[in-house]
Amino acid sequence: MLSTIRNSRSVFASANRLSKSTGALNRCNSEKARKKDEANYPVRILSGIQPTGAIHLGNYLGAVREWVRYQEIHEDVVWSIVDMHAITAPQDPKELQDNIIKITATLLACGIDPSKSILFQQSSVPMHAELAWVFGSMTTMPRLSQQPQFKEKSEKLKDIPLGLFTYPVLQTADILLYKATHVPVGEDQIQHLQLAQHTAQFFNVKYGNTFPMPEPLINKSSGRIKSLREPAKKMSKSSEYKKSSINLVDPPEVIREYLKKAVTDFTSEVTYDPAERPGVSNLVIIHSILTDKSPQEICDEAQGLNTGQYKLHLADVVIEKLRPIRERYEELVNDPGYLNEVLKSGTDRATEIASSSWSEVKSKIGFSGGILSRTAKEVERKHVTSV
Ligand code: TYM
């Protein structure tokens, strides 16, 4: 279905076709702004994932699976393992280091191909932090305090780290440093993307056109996979319930056990009704995305099964669909030398792009090309007048 696309205009059409086949695409910018941007900035697709634990089904269906698809239809794609974001919550250094390697192995096992994508570790490109400082000086505290993820995460904390508050500013820097035009993410990232758009606009008005308006690419059906234990909430690594999410590399018995325990309701039929029956509908949607069938087809096929039987059937499907990823992961994770090579080469390529936008920003805001070049000109002028 996916053909290789080598020019910027067709990626929009392809992104549309792609999203129509998997669910509608959310568009935040007006068509006019998008067209203008399309002319000014080449299409670059970028996204990131935190190395805070294993990749779960929500990350995979909402984001990583889409990244693999975008990698196949566009040549300029950048994926970042955002370890600087990860430390906004306490991390054990050894565990963080292991997680970076494990996430790299999982992303490659999912199909991220270093010959088609740039895959790198955020902290290995220090310009993310430098640009975040610049943007932090242009972002107001009231705007940041409105961010729903900050509100949600800080609610549970007695002492709130500053990094958690400024997290979306760093995310804005991640995106704009690469002049990314499209950002495939799950629905939970929408407000972060809005801040990135606001900052791009603010900077462009103040210093002249520099950044494109980054457009979120959100798959409506897979953009918010729910927790297996609390179907009103998204599936999340930070849930207090152990059996709330399935990791891509979980062994079959764990997948079976967690799905068996998934919260549904007192109706035994399998139907798709996200508002009234969020638990069973979440299972249907996972099933539907993994098999490329519609929720209705899944429910038709499940006629005659009660929800308990359906969960076991779904477990078999999930185990089989994840098997190749798990097997490839096992091979890759035992080759840290190769994984480090992949990250190193990604860092070199990312640094090249980042350096160019960072010098542009520095020059525009008055950090460079100012005092030194003026002094040189003044010296020259003095020399000419004295001759
Ligand atoms: P993170 O690490 O929490 O999640 C990575 C990606 O997975 C998506 N996702 C989900 N999608 C559907 N259903 C779910 N239950 C679910 N849970 C997570 C997320 O939306 C995300 O796309 N702030 C980001 C990381 C980041 C980033 C960036 C993303 C940092 N810089 C620049 C894009 C561009 C985050 O915490 O993702």
Coordinates of all heavy atoms in Angstrom, one line a residue, residues 133-210:
W133 N 16.1 27.1 26.4 CA 16.4 28.3 27.2 C 15.8 29.5 26.5 O 15.2 30.4 27.1 CB 17.9 28.4 27.6 CG 18.1 29.6 28.5 CD1 18.5 30.8 28.2 CD2 17.8 29.6 29.9 NE1 18.5 31.6 29.3 CE2 18.1 30.9 30.4 CE3 17.3 28.6 30.8 CZ2 17.9 31.3 31.7 CZ3 17.1 29.0 32.2 CH2 17.4 30.3 32.6
V134 N 16.1 29.6 25.3 CA 15.7 30.8 24.5 C 14.1 30.8 24.5 O 13.5 31.9 24.8 CB 16.2 30.7 23.0 CG1 15.6 31.8 22.2 CG2 17.7 30.8 23.0
F135 N 13.5 29.7 24.2 CA 12.0 29.7 24.2 C 11.4 29.9 25.6 O 10.4 30.4 25.7 CB 11.5 28.3 23.6 CG 11.8 28.1 22.1 CD1 11.8 26.9 21.6 CD2 12.0 29.2 21.3 CE1 12.0 26.7 20.2 CE2 12.2 29.1 20.0 CZ 12.2 27.8 19.4
G136 N 12.2 29.4 26.6 CA 11.7 29.6 28.0 C 11.6 31.1 28.3 O 10.7 31.5 29.1
S137 N 12.4 31.9 27.6 CA 12.4 33.3 27.9 C 11.2 34.0 27.1 O 11.0 35.2 27.2 CB 13.7 34.0 27.5 OG 14.7 33.2 28.1
M138 N 10.6 33.2 26.3 CA 9.5 33.8 25.5 C 8.1 33.2 25.9 O 7.1 33.4 25.3 CB 9.6 33.5 24.0 CG 10.9 34.0 23.4 SD 11.1 33.4 21.8 CE 12.7 34.1 21.5
T139 N 8.1 32.3 26.9 CA 6.9 31.6 27.3 C 6.5 32.1 28.7 O 7.4 32.2 29.6 CB 7.2 30.1 27.3 OG1 7.8 29.7 26.1 CG2 5.9 29.3 27.5
T140 N 5.2 32.3 28.9 CA 4.8 32.8 30.2 C 4.4 31.7 31.1 O 4.0 30.6 30.7 CB 3.6 33.7 30.0 OG1 2.5 32.9 29.6 CG2 3.9 34.9 29.1
M141 N 4.5 32.0 32.4 CA 4.2 31.0 33.4 C 2.7 30.6 33.4 O 2.4 29.5 33.5 CB 4.6 31.4 34.8 CG 6.2 31.4 34.9 SD 6.9 31.9 36.3 CE 6.1 31.1 37.6
P142 N 1.8 31.6 33.2 CA 0.4 31.2 33.1 C 0.1 30.2 32.0 O -0.6 29.3 32.1 CB -0.4 32.5 32.9 CG 0.6 33.6 33.4 CD 2.0 33.1 33.2
R143 N 0.8 30.5 30.8 CA 0.6 29.5 29.7 C 1.0 28.1 30.1 O 0.3 27.2 29.8 CB 1.4 30.0 28.5 CG 1.0 29.3 27.2 CD 1.7 29.9 26.0 NE 1.1 31.2 25.6 CZ 0.0 31.3 24.9 NH1 -0.6 30.2 24.5 NH2 -0.5 32.5 24.6
L144 N 2.2 28.0 30.8 CA 2.7 26.7 31.1 C 1.8 26.0 32.2 O 1.6 24.8 32.2 CB 4.1 26.8 31.6 CG 5.2 27.0 30.5 CD1 6.6 27.0 31.1 CD2 5.1 26.0 29.4
S145 N 1.3 26.9 33.1 CA 0.5 26.3 34.2 C -0.8 25.7 33.7 O -1.5 24.9 34.4 CB 0.2 27.2 35.4 OG 0.6 28.5 35.1
Q146 N -1.2 26.1 32.5 CA -2.5 25.6 31.9 C -2.3 24.2 31.2 O -3.3 23.6 30.9 CB -3.0 26.6 30.8 CG -3.4 27.9 31.2 CD -4.3 27.9 32.4 OE1 -5.3 27.0 32.5 NE2 -4.1 28.7 33.4
Q147 N -1.1 23.8 31.1 CA -0.9 22.5 30.4 C -1.5 21.4 31.1 O -1.1 21.1 32.3 CB 0.6 22.3 30.2 CG 1.3 23.2 29.2 CD 1.0 22.9 27.7 OE1 0.8 21.7 27.4 NE2 0.9 23.9 26.9
P148 N -2.4 20.6 30.6 CA -3.1 19.6 31.3 C -2.2 18.5 31.9 O -2.4 18.0 33.0 CB -4.1 19.0 30.3 CG -4.1 19.9 29.1 CD -2.9 20.8 29.2
Q149 N -1.1 18.2 31.1 CA -0.2 17.1 31.6 C 0.5 17.6 32.8 O 0.8 16.8 33.7 CB 0.8 16.7 30.5 CG 0.1 15.9 29.4 CD 1.1 14.8 28.9 OE1 2.3 14.7 29.2 NE2 0.6 13.9 28.1
F150 N 0.9 18.9 32.8 CA 1.6 19.4 34.0 C 0.6 19.4 35.2 O 1.0 18.9 36.3 CB 2.0 20.8 33.8 CG 2.5 21.5 35.1 CD1 3.7 21.1 35.6 CD2 1.7 22.5 35.7 CE1 4.1 21.7 36.8 CE2 2.2 23.1 36.9 CZ 3.4 22.7 37.4
K151 N -0.6 19.8 35.0 CA -1.6 19.8 36.1 C -1.8 18.4 36.7 O -1.7 18.2 37.9 CB -3.0 20.3 35.6 CG -3.0 21.8 35.4 CD -4.5 22.2 35.2 CE -4.7 23.4 34.5 NZ -6.0 23.6 34.0
E152 N -2.0 17.4 35.7 CA -2.2 16.1 36.1 C -1.0 15.5 36.9 O -1.2 14.9 38.0 CB -2.4 15.3 34.8 CG -3.1 13.9 35.0 CD -3.1 13.2 33.6 OE1 -3.7 13.8 32.7 OE2 -2.6 12.2 33.5
K153 N 0.2 15.7 36.4 CA 1.4 15.1 37.0 C 1.7 15.8 38.3 O 2.2 15.1 39.3 CB 2.6 15.1 36.0 CG 2.3 14.1 34.9 CD 3.6 13.9 34.1 CE 3.3 12.8 33.1 NZ 4.3 12.7 32.0
S154 N 1.6 17.1 38.3 CA 2.0 17.9 39.5 C 1.1 17.7 40.7 O 1.5 17.8 41.9 CB 2.2 19.3 39.2 OG 1.0 19.9 38.8
E155 N -0.2 17.3 40.4 CA -1.2 17.1 41.4 C -0.8 16.1 42.5 O -1.0 16.3 43.7 CB -2.5 16.6 40.8 CG -3.7 17.4 40.9 CD -4.8 16.9 40.0 OE1 -4.9 15.7 39.8 OE2 -5.6 17.8 39.5
K156 N -0.1 15.1 42.0 CA 0.3 14.0 42.9 C 1.6 14.3 43.6 O 2.1 13.5 44.5 CB 0.5 12.7 42.1 CG -0.7 12.3 41.3 CD -0.3 11.1 40.4 CE -1.3 11.0 39.2 NZ -0.8 10.5 38.0
L157 N 2.3 15.4 43.3 CA 3.6 15.7 43.9 C 3.6 16.7 45.0 O 2.9 17.7 44.9 CB 4.6 16.1 42.8 CG 4.8 15.2 41.7 CD1 5.7 15.8 40.6 CD2 5.5 13.9 42.2
K158 N 4.4 16.5 46.0 CA 4.5 17.5 47.1 C 5.5 18.6 46.6 O 5.2 19.8 46.7 CB 5.1 16.9 48.3 CG 4.8 17.6 49.6 CD 4.9 16.8 50.8 CE 5.6 17.5 51.9 NZ 7.0 17.2 52.0
D159 N 6.7 18.2 46.1 CA 7.6 19.2 45.6 C 7.7 19.0 44.0 O 8.0 18.0 43.5 CB 9.0 18.9 46.1 CG 9.1 19.3 47.6 OD1 8.5 20.3 47.9 OD2 9.6 18.5 48.4
I160 N 7.3 20.1 43.4 CA 7.2 20.0 41.9 C 8.5 20.5 41.2 O 8.9 21.6 41.4 CB 6.1 20.9 41.4 CG1 4.8 20.4 42.0 CG2 5.9 20.8 39.9 CD1 3.6 21.4 41.9
P161 N 9.2 19.6 40.5 CA 10.4 20.0 39.9 C 10.2 21.0 38.8 O 9.2 20.9 38.1 CB 11.0 18.7 39.2 CG 10.1 17.6 39.7 CD 8.8 18.2 40.2
L162 N 11.1 22.0 38.7 CA 11.0 23.0 37.6 C 10.9 22.4 36.2 O 10.2 22.8 35.4 CB 12.1 24.0 37.7 CG 12.2 25.2 36.8 CD1 10.9 26.0 37.0 CD2 13.4 26.0 37.0
G163 N 11.7 21.3 36.1 CA 11.7 20.6 34.8 C 10.4 20.1 34.3 O 10.1 20.1 33.1
L164 N 9.5 19.7 35.3 CA 8.2 19.2 34.9 C 7.4 20.4 34.4 O 6.6 20.2 33.5 CB 7.5 18.6 36.2 CG 6.3 17.8 35.9 CD1 6.6 16.6 35.0 CD2 5.7 17.3 37.3
F165 N 7.6 21.5 35.0 CA 6.8 22.7 34.6 C 7.3 23.2 33.2 O 6.4 23.5 32.3 CB 7.1 23.8 35.6 CG 6.3 25.1 35.4 CD1 4.9 25.0 35.5 CD2 6.9 26.3 35.2 CE1 4.1 26.2 35.4 CE2 6.1 27.4 35.0 CZ 4.7 27.4 35.1
T166 N 8.6 23.1 32.9 CA 9.1 23.7 31.6 C 9.2 22.6 30.5 O 9.6 22.8 29.4 CB 10.5 24.3 31.8 OG1 11.3 23.4 32.4 CG2 10.4 25.6 32.7
Y167 N 8.8 21.4 30.9 CA 8.8 20.2 30.0 C 8.3 20.6 28.6 O 8.9 20.3 27.6 CB 7.9 19.1 30.6 CG 7.8 17.8 29.9 CD1 8.3 16.6 30.4 CD2 7.1 17.7 28.7 CE1 8.2 15.4 29.7 CE2 6.9 16.6 28.0 CZ 7.4 15.4 28.5 OH 7.3 14.2 27.9
P168 N 7.1 21.2 28.4 CA 6.6 21.5 27.1 C 7.5 22.5 26.3 O 7.5 22.5 25.1 CB 5.2 22.2 27.3 CG 4.9 21.9 28.7 CD 6.2 21.7 29.5
V169 N 8.3 23.3 27.0 CA 9.2 24.2 26.3 C 10.3 23.4 25.7 O 10.7 23.7 24.5 CB 9.8 25.3 27.3 CG1 10.7 26.2 26.6 CG2 8.6 26.1 28.0
L170 N 10.8 22.4 26.4 CA 11.8 21.6 25.8 C 11.3 20.8 24.6 O 11.9 20.6 23.6 CB 12.3 20.6 26.9 CG 13.4 19.6 26.5 CD1 14.7 20.3 26.0 CD2 13.8 18.7 27.7
Q171 N 10.0 20.4 24.8 CA 9.4 19.7 23.6 C 9.3 20.6 22.4 O 9.5 20.2 21.3 CB 8.0 19.1 24.0 CG 7.4 18.3 22.9 CD 6.3 17.3 23.4 OE1 6.2 17.1 24.6 NE2 5.5 16.9 22.5
T172 N 9.0 21.8 22.7 CA 8.9 22.8 21.6 C 10.3 22.9 20.9 O 10.4 22.9 19.7 CB 8.5 24.2 22.1 OG1 7.1 24.1 22.6 CG2 8.6 25.3 21.1
A173 N 11.3 23.0 21.7 CA 12.7 23.1 21.2 C 13.0 21.8 20.4 O 13.6 21.9 19.3 CB 13.7 23.3 22.3
D174 N 12.6 20.6 20.9 CA 12.8 19.4 20.1 C 12.3 19.5 18.7 O 12.9 19.0 17.7 CB 12.1 18.2 20.7 CG 12.5 17.9 22.1 OD1 13.6 18.3 22.5 OD2 11.7 17.2 22.9
I175 N 11.1 20.1 18.6 CA 10.4 20.1 17.3 C 11.0 21.2 16.4 O 11.3 21.0 15.2 CB 8.9 20.3 17.5 CG1 8.3 19.2 18.3 CG2 8.2 20.6 16.2 CD1 6.9 19.4 18.9
L176 N 11.1 22.4 17.0 CA 11.5 23.6 16.1 C 13.0 23.5 15.8 O 13.4 24.1 14.7 CB 11.1 24.9 16.8 CG 9.6 25.0 17.1 CD1 9.3 26.4 17.6 CD2 8.8 24.8 15.8
L177 N 13.8 22.9 16.6 CA 15.3 22.8 16.3 C 15.5 22.1 14.9 O 16.5 22.4 14.2 CB 16.0 22.0 17.4 CG 17.5 22.0 17.4 CD1 18.1 23.3 17.4 CD2 18.0 21.2 18.6
Y178 N 14.6 21.3 14.6 CA 14.7 20.5 13.3 C 13.7 21.1 12.2 O 13.5 20.5 11.2 CB 14.4 19.0 13.5 CG 15.4 18.5 14.5 CD1 15.2 18.6 15.9 CD2 16.7 18.0 14.0 CE1 16.2 18.1 16.7 CE2 17.7 17.6 14.9 CZ 17.4 17.7 16.2 OH 18.4 17.3 17.1
K179 N 13.0 22.2 12.6 CA 12.1 22.8 11.7 C 11.1 21.8 11.2 O 10.8 21.7 10.0 CB 12.7 23.5 10.5 CG 13.7 24.6 10.9 CD 14.0 25.6 9.9 CE 15.0 26.6 10.4 NZ 15.1 27.8 9.6
A180 N 10.6 20.9 12.1 CA 9.7 19.9 11.7 C 8.4 20.4 11.3 O 7.9 21.4 11.9 CB 9.5 18.9 12.9
T181 N 7.8 19.9 10.2 CA 6.5 20.4 9.7 C 5.4 19.5 10.2 O 4.3 20.0 10.3 CB 6.5 20.4 8.2 OG1 6.9 19.1 7.7 CG2 7.5 21.4 7.6
H182 N 5.7 18.2 10.5 CA 4.7 17.3 11.0 C 5.1 16.5 12.1 O 6.3 16.0 12.1 CB 4.3 16.3 9.8 CG 3.7 17.1 8.6 ND1 4.4 17.8 7.8 CD2 2.4 17.2 8.3 CE1 3.6 18.3 6.9 NE2 2.3 18.0 7.2
V183 N 4.2 16.3 13.1 CA 4.6 15.6 14.3 C 3.6 14.5 14.7 O 2.5 14.8 15.2 CB 4.8 16.6 15.5 CG1 5.3 15.9 16.7 CG2 5.6 17.8 15.1
P184 N 3.9 13.2 14.3 CA 2.9 12.1 14.6 C 3.0 11.8 16.1 O 4.0 11.4 16.6 CB 3.4 11.0 13.8 CG 4.8 11.3 13.3 CD 5.0 12.7 13.5
V185 N 1.9 12.0 16.8 CA 1.8 11.7 18.3 C 0.4 11.2 18.6 O -0.5 11.2 17.8 CB 2.0 13.0 19.1 CG1 3.5 13.5 19.2 CG2 1.1 14.2 18.5
G186 N 0.3 10.7 19.9 CA -1.0 10.4 20.4 C -1.7 11.6 20.8 O -1.2 12.7 20.9
E187 N -3.0 11.4 21.1 CA -3.9 12.6 21.4 C -3.4 13.4 22.7 O -3.7 14.6 22.8 CB -5.3 12.0 21.7 CG -6.4 12.8 21.2 CD -7.7 12.1 21.4 OE1 -8.1 11.4 20.5 OE2 -8.3 12.3 22.5
D188 N -2.8 12.7 23.6 CA -2.3 13.4 24.8 C -1.3 14.5 24.6 O -1.0 15.2 25.5 CB -1.7 12.3 25.8 CG -0.5 11.6 25.3 OD1 -0.4 11.4 24.0 OD2 0.3 11.2 26.0
Q189 N -0.7 14.5 23.4 CA 0.3 15.5 23.1 C -0.2 16.8 22.5 O 0.6 17.7 22.2 CB 1.4 14.9 22.2 CG 2.1 13.7 22.9 CD 2.8 14.1 24.2 OE1 3.5 15.1 24.2 NE2 2.6 13.3 25.2
I190 N -1.5 16.9 22.3 CA -2.1 18.0 21.5 C -1.7 19.4 22.1 O -1.3 20.3 21.4 CB -3.6 17.8 21.2 CG1 -4.1 18.8 20.2 CG2 -4.4 18.0 22.5 CD1 -4.1 18.2 18.8
Q191 N -1.8 19.5 23.4 CA -1.6 20.8 24.0 C -0.1 21.2 23.9 O 0.3 22.3 23.7 CB -2.0 20.8 25.5 CG -3.5 20.9 25.7 CD -4.2 19.6 25.6 OE1 -3.5 18.5 25.5 NE2 -5.5 19.5 25.7
H192 N 0.8 20.2 24.0 CA 2.2 20.4 23.8 C 2.5 21.0 22.4 O 3.3 21.9 22.2 CB 3.0 19.2 24.1 CG 3.0 18.8 25.5 ND1 3.5 17.6 25.9 CD2 2.6 19.4 26.6 CE1 3.4 17.5 27.2 NE2 2.9 18.6 27.7
L193 N 1.8 20.4 21.4 CA 1.9 20.8 20.0 C 1.4 22.2 19.8 O 2.0 23.0 19.1 CB 1.2 19.8 19.1 CG 2.1 18.7 18.5 CD1 3.1 19.3 17.5 CD2 2.9 17.9 19.5
Q194 N 0.3 22.6 20.6 CA -0.2 23.9 20.4 C 0.8 24.9 21.0 O 0.9 26.0 20.4 CB -1.5 24.0 21.2 CG -2.7 23.4 20.4 CD -3.9 23.1 21.2 OE1 -4.0 23.3 22.4 NE2 -5.0 22.7 20.5
L195 N 1.5 24.6 22.0 CA 2.5 25.5 22.5 C 3.6 25.7 21.5 O 4.1 26.8 21.3 CB 3.1 25.0 23.9 CG 4.2 25.9 24.4 CD1 3.6 27.2 25.0 CD2 5.1 25.2 25.5
A196 N 4.0 24.6 20.9 CA 5.1 24.6 19.8 C 4.6 25.6 18.7 O 5.4 26.4 18.2 CB 5.4 23.2 19.3
Q197 N 3.3 25.5 18.3 CA 2.8 26.3 17.3 C 2.8 27.8 17.7 O 3.2 28.7 17.0 CB 1.4 26.0 16.9 CG 1.3 24.6 16.2 CD -0.1 24.2 15.9 OE1 -1.1 24.7 16.6 NE2 -0.3 23.3 15.0
H198 N 2.4 28.0 18.9 CA 2.4 29.4 19.5 C 3.8 30.0 19.5 O 4.0 31.1 19.1 CB 1.8 29.3 20.9 CG 1.7 30.7 21.5 ND1 2.7 31.2 22.3 CD2 0.8 31.7 21.4 CE1 2.4 32.4 22.7 NE2 1.2 32.7 22.2
T199 N 4.8 29.2 20.0 CA 6.1 29.7 20.1 C 6.7 30.0 18.7 O 7.4 31.0 18.5 CB 7.0 28.6 20.8 OG1 6.4 28.3 22.0 CG2 8.4 29.2 21.1
A200 N 6.4 29.1 17.7 CA 6.9 29.3 16.3 C 6.4 30.6 15.8 O 7.1 31.5 15.3 CB 6.5 28.2 15.4
Q201 N 5.1 30.9 16.1 CA 4.5 32.1 15.6 C 5.1 33.3 16.2 O 5.4 34.3 15.6 CB 3.0 32.0 15.8 CG 2.2 33.1 15.0 CD 0.7 32.8 15.1 OE1 0.3 32.1 16.0 NE2 0.0 33.5 14.3
F202 N 5.2 33.2 17.6 CA 5.8 34.3 18.3 C 7.2 34.7 17.8 O 7.5 35.8 17.6 CB 5.8 33.9 19.8 CG 6.3 35.0 20.8 CD1 5.4 35.8 21.4 CD2 7.7 35.1 21.0 CE1 5.9 36.8 22.3 CE2 8.1 36.1 21.8 CZ 7.2 37.0 22.5
F203 N 8.0 33.7 17.7 CA 9.4 33.9 17.2 C 9.4 34.5 15.8 O 10.1 35.5 15.5 CB 10.1 32.6 17.2 CG 11.6 32.7 17.1 CD1 12.4 32.7 18.2 CD2 12.2 32.9 15.9 CE1 13.8 32.9 18.1 CE2 13.6 33.1 15.7 CZ 14.4 33.1 16.9
N204 N 8.5 33.9 14.9 CA 8.5 34.4 13.5 C 8.1 35.9 13.5 O 8.7 36.7 12.7 CB 7.6 33.6 12.7 CG 8.1 32.2 12.4 OD1 9.3 31.9 12.7 ND2 7.2 31.3 11.9
V205 N 7.1 36.3 14.3 CA 6.7 37.7 14.3 C 7.8 38.6 14.8 O 8.1 39.6 14.2 CB 5.4 37.8 15.1 CG1 5.0 39.3 15.3 CG2 4.2 37.1 14.4
K206 N 8.4 38.1 15.8 CA 9.4 39.0 16.5 C 10.7 39.1 15.7 O 11.3 40.1 15.6 CB 9.7 38.5 17.9 CG 10.6 39.4 18.7 CD 10.4 39.3 20.2 CE 11.3 40.3 20.8 NZ 11.6 40.1 22.1
Y207 N 11.2 37.9 15.1 CA 12.5 37.9 14.5 C 12.5 37.6 13.0 O 13.6 37.5 12.4 CB 13.4 36.8 15.2 CG 13.6 37.1 16.7 CD1 12.9 36.4 17.7 CD2 14.4 38.1 17.1 CE1 13.1 36.6 19.0 CE2 14.6 38.3 18.5 CZ 14.0 37.6 19.4 OH 14.1 37.8 20.7
G208 N 11.3 37.5 12.5 CA 11.3 37.2 11.0 C 11.1 35.7 10.8 O 11.5 34.9 11.7
N209 N 10.6 35.3 9.7 CA 10.2 33.9 9.4 C 11.4 32.9 9.7 O 12.4 33.1 9.0 CB 9.8 33.7 8.0 CG 8.3 33.4 8.0 OD1 7.7 33.3 9.0 ND2 7.7 33.3 6.8
T210 N 11.2 32.0 10.6 CA 12.3 31.1 10.9 C 11.8 29.7 11.0 O 12.4 28.7 10.6 CB 12.9 31.5 12.3 OG1 13.2 32.9 12.3 CG2 14.2 30.7 12.6

